[in-house]
């Protein structure tokens, strides 16, 4: 027999890990409620063309793509944004804007597997569509900060840039979009010299290269950095407008007075090609990979045949948030639920045990029924190993009186309790 393993890059989540994953997902759902985002569920499989349109080389080449049995070119989604944009361009096109839409689920990219990088991973994704105003960009940053804080992460920082600044300088030199995209991809990988070479070969002036060289060195936590950026790009109208837009967004975030750490990097680029405005990522000091990434993309919905609809969004990498959570040894704050095992003494009492278990579940008590027919002493050992709080032993003698034995496994004491009173006893006792 072959011993089966998971496919490379795919993982199993055992109960402890699954619990943390779902905890983070719950916090993301809470953020969606707190900010008024409605959940939508979109397919894992989408037309290849939709996902490839503006994904950028990095992601496009790493998609799981195949022909289905009906000869359709399909791909497993590497991100949510194109699916949400498709919906807004089609089914939702006549609905009143703005839209605040939330999704959570698994994504697929043929990335090189390593810590924090998997071929199947999870995101919580927020899109705000129908506003080109800086308050929309500020909201996406603030809700991301809320999620990190709700999860209990510490020292997370936002790295912020604006694609309009770099692209504005390049457009000022009339560099076509293909060259710009290539340069942005290289800058995303921090291969600045290669990016400058590409721009130079495409015929740009030495003044443009010099401006870009200075820009990519500009970074800092102080908003004063923006003034320096403005100074640098003052002869490039589009780039200057982009810098002012960035300044407005950051002012709004500051005005919210929420606790947030931000650094501006003028040379910051992201792999996805649809961005047209602010872009950002979130990092923690314990990890070298981003926990979340997002930005403004004002042309994607029109590209999919919809009304021109400005949009901004973010995806939070649940796997990486989970890793940061573990590295920072953050405590899981879950409700402390009592766990109970119900053990029938003999086979004839199985039905009675099931009846009592249902009654307790109706009273919102979680119950495990002993289903392997083992002896009471063995079942009790198992209940202790699982750190359960109570065992209910269903025996002939007590049943005749309408009672069972309720054993408090923490205090190691037991008493006979009327069936009607079990829920009350369990809920009422501490420990
Ligand atoms: P992204 O930067 O490609 O953006 O991904 C967002 C986050 O997903 C990353 O910061 C990371 O935490 C997580 N992630 C990406 N790839 C992997 C992987 N191979 N393994 C584990 N985690 C990963 C987007 O996906 C955009 N759709 C975000 C967006 C929404 N922009 C506007 N709206």
């Amino acid at each position: 027999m072959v011993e089966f393993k998971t496919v490379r890059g795919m993982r199993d989540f055992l109960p402890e890990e699954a619990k943390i994953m779902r905890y983070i997902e719950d916090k993301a759902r809470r953020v969606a409620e707190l900010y008024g985002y409605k959940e939508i569920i979109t397919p894992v499989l989408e037309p290849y063309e939709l996902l490839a349109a503006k994904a950028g080389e990095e992601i496009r080449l790493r998609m799981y793509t195949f022909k289905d049995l009906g000869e359709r070119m399909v791909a497993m989604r590497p991100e949510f944004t194109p699916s949400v944009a498709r919906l807004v361009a089609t089914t939702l096109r006549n609905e009143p804007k703005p839209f605040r839409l939330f999704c959570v689920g698994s994504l697929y990219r043929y990335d090189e597997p390593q810590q924090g990088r998997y071929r199947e991973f999870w995101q919580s994704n927020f899109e705000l569509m129908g506003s080109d105003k800086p308050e929309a960009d500020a909201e996406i940053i603030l809700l991301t900060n809320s999620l990190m804080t709700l999860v209990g992460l510490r020292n997370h920082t936002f790295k912020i840039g604006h694609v309009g600044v770099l692209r504005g300088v390049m457009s000022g030199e009339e560099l076509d979009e293909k060259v710009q995209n290539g340069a942005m991809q290289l800058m995303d990988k921090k291969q600045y010299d290669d990016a400058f070479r590409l721009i130079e070969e495409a015929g740009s002036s030495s003044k443009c290269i010099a401006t870009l060289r200075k820009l990519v060195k500009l970074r800092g936590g102080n908003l004063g950095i923006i003034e320096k950026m403005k100074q640098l790009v003052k002869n490039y109208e589009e780039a200057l407008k982009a810098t002012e837009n960035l300044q407005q967004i950051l002012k709004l975030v500051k005005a919210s007075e929420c606790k947030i750490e931000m650094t501006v990097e003028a040379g910051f680029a992201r792999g996805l090609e649809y961005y047209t405005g602010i872009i950002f990522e979130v990092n923690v000091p314990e990890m070298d990979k981003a926990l979340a990434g997002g930005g403004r993309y004002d042309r994607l919905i029109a590209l999919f045949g919809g009304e021109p609809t400005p949009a901004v969004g973010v995806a939070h990498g649940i796997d990486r948030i989970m890793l940061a959570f573990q590295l920072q040894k953050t405590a899981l704050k879950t409700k402390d639920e009592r766990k109970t095992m119900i053990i029938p003494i003999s086979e004839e009492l199985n039905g009675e045990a099931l009846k009592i278990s249902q009654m307790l579940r109706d009273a919102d008590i979680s119950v495990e029924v002993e289903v392997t027919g083992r002896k009471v002493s063995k079942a009790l050992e198992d209940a202790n190993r699982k750190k359960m709080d109570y065992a209910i032993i269903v025996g002939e003698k007590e049943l005749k009186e309408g009672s069972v034995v309720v054993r408090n496994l923490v205090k190691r004491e037991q008493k006979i309790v009327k069936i009607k009173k079990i829920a009350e006893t369990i809920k009422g006792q501490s420990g």
Side-chain angles (χ1 to χ4, degrees):
M1 261 301 272
V2 272
E3 193 185 325
F4 288 116
K5 289 193 204 136
T6 54
V7 172
R8 187 164 146 76
M10 307 282 157
R11 293 158 301 152
D12 296 314
F13 288 83
L14 297 180
E16 277 307 306
E17 290 157 322
K19 195 168 166 180
I20 304 178
M21 277 285 274
R22 295 301 180 214
Y23 175 78
I24 297 166
E25 194 181 311
D26 283 350
K27 299 292 175 203
R29 283 183 197 285
R30 184 67 195 134
V31 169
E33 278 168 7
L34 287 171
Y35 284 78
Y37 284 68
K38 301 266 184 291
E39 181 169 4
I40 51 170
I41 301 173
T42 59
V44 169
L45 222 55
E46 290 273 16
Y48 169 78
E49 289 301 331
L50 175 96
L51 300 173
K54 279 281 171 189
E57 196 83 333
E58 260 306 282
I59 294 184
R60 196 158 40 235
L61 295 177
R62 292 172 193 275
M63 288 200 305
Y64 282 84
T65 309
F66 57 94
K67 261 194 189 151
D68 72 6
L69 294 180
E71 295 287 307
R72 297 171 197 92
M73 250 337 239
V74 294
M76 288 163 81
R77 61 184 180 201
E79 51 158 342
F80 283 113
T81 310
S83 304
V84 186
R86 170 183 56 70
L87 260 182
V88 171
T90 56
T91 319
L92 298 176
R93 70 182 299 152
N94 296 321
E95 297 293 315
K97 290 173 188 141
F99 297 115
R100 286 187 168 85
L101 299 171
F102 162 73
C103 334
V104 60
S106 58
L107 297 305
Y108 301 85
R109 294 184 194 175
Y110 203 78
D111 278 335
E112 193 47 36
Q114 52 191 277
Q115 195 192 42
R117 182 161 289 141
Y118 315 102
R119 290 182 179 171
E120 181 184 51
F121 60 96
W122 276 260
Q123 286 182 344
S124 72
N125 185 88
F126 291 72
E127 310 288 356
L128 175 41
M129 296 168 153
S131 166
D132 60 359
K133 297 279 181 279
E135 20 315 9
D137 307 69
E139 174 171 308
I140 290 290
I141 292 178
L142 288 172
L143 73 80
T144 298
N145 192 52
S146 294
L147 175 63
M148 302 300 159
T149 310
L150 266 185
V151 166
L153 294 187
R154 296 179 301 276
N155 307 322
H156 57 275
T157 52
F158 283 74
K159 179 162 87 175
I160 299 184
H162 195 300
V163 295
V165 180
L166 295 173
R167 282 193 189 265
V169 173
M170 291 193 270
S171 312
E173 296 272 323
E174 277 155 28
L175 289 181
D176 71 23
E177 201 178 322
K178 208 163 146 235
V179 175
Q180 290 191 24
N181 290 348
M184 297 298 271
Q185 293 280 343
L186 289 166
M187 291 199 217
D188 174 40
K189 286 186 252 163
K190 307 239 176 313
Q191 297 170 0
Y192 295 114
D193 286 334
D194 294 337
F196 299 144
R197 199 167 311 123
L198 182 76
I199 298 167
E200 203 167 4
E201 280 165 12
S204 82
S205 68
S206 53
K207 190 179 122 236
C208 165
I209 307 269
T211 307
L212 289 172
R213 273 192 195 283
K214 283 188 203 145
L215 266 181
V216 302
K217 288 200 188 104
L218 267 190
R219 64 188 62 182
N222 197 317
L223 284 191
I225 203 89
I226 305 255
E227 292 303 333
K228 289 193 187 149
M229 281 168 72
K230 277 190 181 165
Q231 194 55 34
L232 259 179
V233 301
K234 63 175 188 291
N235 296 325
Y236 297 91
E237 199 188 325
E238 266 185 55
L240 186 62
K241 260 174 52 193
T243 314
E244 283 163 358
N245 173 245
L246 179 60
Q247 186 170 35
Q248 277 181 314
I249 299 167
L250 297 183
K251 272 190 182 156
L252 282 171
V253 173
K254 293 248 174 207
S256 77
E257 291 192 0
C258 81
K259 195 176 163 287
I260 181 165
E261 284 298 321
M262 300 185 282
T263 11
V264 173
E265 282 194 20
F268 176 37
R270 279 174 43 73
L272 293 153
E273 263 165 26
Y274 47 64
Y275 292 121
T276 55
I278 192 169
I279 47 170
F280 66 91
E281 283 180 1
V282 179
N283 288 284
V284 284
E286 291 83 358
M287 276 167 66
D288 64 354
K289 297 182 186 70
L291 305 192
R296 171 167 287 282
Y297 54 101
D298 285 347
R299 291 196 280 271
L300 194 61
I301 296 159
L303 186 83
F304 291 166
E307 294 287 312
T309 308
V312 54
V314 59
H316 311 117
I318 296 183
D319 311 70
R320 294 196 188 160
I321 296 177
M322 173 170 165
L323 209 56
F325 183 93
Q326 289 166 320
L327 289 169
Q328 294 193 346
K329 302 198 178 2
T330 312
L332 204 67
K333 289 190 208 107
T334 48
K335 125 168 156 234
D336 184 21
E337 198 167 7
R338 305 267 163 74
K339 285 180 288 178
T340 306
M341 183 181 273
I342 181 154
I343 313 166
I345 280 188
S346 64
E347 230 173 87
E348 297 76 63
L349 300 174
N350 285 346
E352 198 61 42
L354 280 183
K355 197 167 112 193
I356 297 171
S357 66
Q358 286 308 119
M359 182 192 87
L360 293 178
R361 289 180 190 127
D362 287 345
D364 205 32
I365 292 172
S366 82
V367 185
E368 259 183 48
V369 180
E370 166 51 35
V371 289
T372 65
R374 61 192 150 182
K375 282 199 188 127
V376 176
S377 58
K378 284 279 172 214
L380 282 174
E381 262 175 42
D382 191 34
N384 279 318
R385 187 180 60 81
K386 288 182 173 155
K387 300 200 170 27
M388 297 205 132
D389 302 284
Y390 292 95
I392 297 167
I393 303 158
V394 185
E396 199 81 56
K397 197 170 104 220
E398 292 81 14
L399 261 188
K400 280 199 187 117
E401 314 279 306
S403 305
V404 291
V405 173
V406 174
R407 187 173 168 83
N408 184 323
L409 297 170
V410 181
K411 292 188 180 160
R412 295 174 176 275
E413 56 188 37
Q414 64 184 47
K415 59 183 176 185
I416 295 172
V417 176
K418 289 274 180 225
I419 292 174
K420 278 192 294 216
K421 301 261 176 186
I422 307 175
E424 203 179 297
T425 307
I426 290 180
K427 283 186 168 169
Q429 281 192 14
S430 58

